[in-house]
Amino acid sequence: MIQSAGKLNTQRASHRITSTSQTTYPTLALFISVSNVRPDPRCCSVSNVRPDPRCCNGLKRTDDRYDAFHLAHLMRLGILPTGYIYPKEHRALRDLLRKRMQLVQDRSREIIRLKSFIQLHTGQTLRADKIKAKKFVAPRIGEANTQLALQTSIGMVRAFTQQIKTVERSISHQVDSSPNFNLLKTVPGIGDILAQTVLLESGNIRRFKGPGNFASYSRCVDSRRESNGKKKGENNRKNGNKYLAWAFIEAANFSIRRSEKAKAFYQRKAKETNIIVARKALAHKLARACYWIMRNGVAYDEKRLFA
């Protein structure tokens, strides 16, 4: 390991530091080696760091090598916060779920193109679910080239649908046995896909100190800075997991339809502020509920959430 910021013990192993700061450093991987010798992988540890911009003030010279030594010095002192590295054995399953979302988005874009194409040539407006149906028959439009373009779009939509179903079956086969997965589905508004997203994107739930930290990671909290009761600016609103942010907003939309208490909470908040803030406030409540469900292994309790 690293002994000091200025001098390294050549008999010790190396340490890899990955910095993902968007303000002080670009995305880079700084590798501190000993005498340019490749270390044994078993002796090399990895840390994901996002340093505070203030920690580098006063440096007279900065480049990759000096930045690496400076980050190593902060880590040795224990004042450099490190981020969570998702376990390698579960990373592929999480990425497969993200691939499923990408396929759904690609299919939606192709359906929009197809709807516009048909409306342009026939003036007919079709529903998306009708286009996705297996029995959908494309209308006869124009010449052979136009008909070929139409059939190509329909084929792409059906190919996307087939691949989405294949991915969903594979994920369900690996996740359905998890007890937290079934507990998350007890929340009104959370089904199979949203439960899988919350479960796989959260990782080890005990890495969060409390429900507020988990809600912040899910982008369900405000990011503004205030002084003397006045707004002075905003912090990084994009700091967090965008997939969890999407999942809890979708869960809030569905819970409004399926839970009377959730609907009443949403309507009360909407009167006080606006519908966007009200929906985000409901998503924040659901995020806190999901935290306790996964941490304690208990089912959803609506009375405790809306007490």
Side-chain angles (χ1 to χ4, degrees), residues 232-267:
K232 298 298 183 180
E234 291 185 353
N235 295 316
N236 185 8
R237 293 185 298 173
K238 300 297 183 181
N239 189 11
N241 190 305
K242 65 178 182 180
Y243 301 98
L244 284 176
W246 166 81
F248 286 121
I249 286 294
E250 289 295 316
N253 290 327
F254 287 116
S255 65
I256 293 172
R257 309 175 193 175
R258 301 183 180 183
S259 172
E260 291 298 328
K261 290 189 176 181
K263 183 178 180 180
F265 174 83
Y266 168 77
Q267 291 176 344

